[in-house]
Every structure is written in structure tokens, then in C-alpha cells.
Amino acid sequence: MTLETWNDFATLVEANNGVWGGCWCMGFHAEGFTGSMGRDDNRARKLAHVSDKTCHQVLVYEGDECVGWCQYGTPAEIAGIKNAKAYLKELDFLPDWRIGCIFTGNGHRGGGVARTAVESALEAIRDAGGGFVEAYPEQQDERPPQRGAYFQTGPESLYTQFGFERVRRIAKWRWVMRTELRRTSCDARAVPHTV
């Protein structure tokens, strides 16, 4: 995401109640988000990250409409992961990249937006030099049905499609998953992705 695509992102966020009550996709940044009373503050801080280029986010489009995204970045950029205390307890090494949140707009879920978003983020990571990539998804297998659940970091099954493997459990239904990406040999250019 860039300043040129900010309005597309903002339109999607506003159409979805600020995302999780006003987060504006700030929850995984080092400073976190301030809850529903601070939605304007979250918006301003997210825009500052985009302006300062301290935010990596792939947007997914359907035609001209932004319908979802995948946030990724270095551990310094994606510092506020879920279950951080358990994560740090058995930390072997920090990855080069982390995937933070994945979001699909209302009315577009179940159509492959999340898969396209993660695939595009992994392409961008590979083009930036690759390395070890971690994600922190939720396990679905053997889990009771979750009424109204939305997996903010994505389901485990999404990541296994891209070669991620379980490293260790950090919560009852959450895993550290990791893969290693090597840089592509061609000189790829970032383009908007569509579903």
C-alpha cells in the first residue's frame, strides 16, 4: 500500500466499521491500537506509517474496488503479535518477515481474497530478498465450530498451501508457522492484484 492507494484502503476500512471496531489495521504495529474511542487516532497513525513507508500491505482488488489485504513486514514493523509472551518463551530466532493481519471485506469472503492476498505478500517478500517468513494462524482441524469467528491472522490451512510448517504452539489454537523464501531470479515489478 502506498499513498496512491490509501483512499482505496480507507474506503474498505470505513465500509467495515473501521475494522474490528476501529483498529485501522494498527493492532500489529509496535504501538498497537487504541480501541473504538481512538478510531480517528488509529486512522491518523496508519496513514503516518504509509507516509513514512513503515508499513507493508498488499491490497487485493476486484475491478477497481479494494476488497482485502495482507499486512506483512519485518519484526520491527509487525511487533505486536498475538500471544507474544508465549512466543518469546521458546524463541529460537526472529524471522526476516512476519505476516500480520489478513482482511477480506464484507460480501467478499469465501471467494479467494485471503489466498490472493497471502500469495501476493509472499511474492513481494521474495522480490525484496526473501528469507524466513512467519505467520501465526489459528488451527481449524479438531476445533469446535466458532460461531461468528473471523480469523484475523488467517487459518492454518491457508498457510500450508504455501509451504508453511508448524514450528510450535503458542496458544490452544494458535501456531507459529514458518517457511523460507528464496529470491526469484527474474526482476518482478509490483502490480495491483485482482481476484
Side-chain angles (χ1 to χ4, degrees):
M1 176 168 52
T2 63
L3 288 174
E4 289 74 28
T5 57
W6 168 260
N7 286 338
D8 299 339
F9 167 76
T11 298
L12 175 60
V13 173
E14 289 165 355
N16 288 271
N17 191 32
V19 179
W20 297 295
C23 174
W24 276 84
C25 202
M26 280 298 300
F28 291 91
H29 288 292
E31 65 267 48
F33 73 100
T34 57
S36 60
M37 295 302 289
R39 102 176 33 226
D40 290 340
D41 184 45
N42 292 331
R43 182 188 194 282
R45 289 186 299 141
K46 186 65 174 192
L47 179 56
H49 273 290
V50 174
S51 296
D52 295 342
K53 298 182 179 169
T54 56
C55 170
H56 291 87
Q57 212 154 311
V58 173
L59 303 180
V60 179
Y61 288 83
E62 188 172 80
D64 292 333
E65 179 187 7
C66 178
V67 295
W69 70 72
C70 178
Q71 177 191 43
Y72 68 98
T74 64
E77 292 173 342
I78 308 293
I81 65 170
K82 291 178 176 279
N83 311 103
K85 189 173 181 179
Y87 174 80
L88 292 172
K89 191 174 180 180
E90 297 179 29
L91 180 66
D92 50 356
F93 66 90
L94 285 174
D96 300 293
W97 300 91
R98 287 178 167 160
I99 293 180
C101 105
I102 302 168
F103 183 79
T104 302
N106 217 1
H108 298 281
R109 295 179 186 147
V113 173
R115 185 182 196 294
T116 299
V118 170
E119 182 176 31
S120 300
L122 294 175
E123 287 174 18
I125 289 169
R126 189 177 280 115
D127 291 344
F132 286 98
V133 184
E134 281 186 355
Y136 315 98
E138 295 192 40
Q139 176 182 338
Q140 286 178 293
D141 293 343
E142 304 169 16
R143 182 177 184 174
Q146 303 294 296
R147 184 169 181 235
Y150 187 91
F151 295 139
Q152 189 177 27
T153 53
E156 179 184 16
S157 58
L158 173 62
Y159 292 96
T160 58
Q161 297 174 39
F162 296 105
F164 282 78
E165 295 180 352
R166 285 180 176 180
V167 175
R168 59 194 166 93
R169 185 188 303 269
I170 54 173
K172 184 173 183 180
W173 303 109
R174 186 178 306 283
W175 291 84
V176 174
M177 295 186 78
R178 192 182 290 154
T179 192
E180 184 178 10
L181 298 179
R182 300 192 186 282
R183 185 176 176 86
T184 54
S185 57
C186 64
D187 182 21
R189 298 283 186 252
V191 295
H193 292 272
T194 58
V195 288

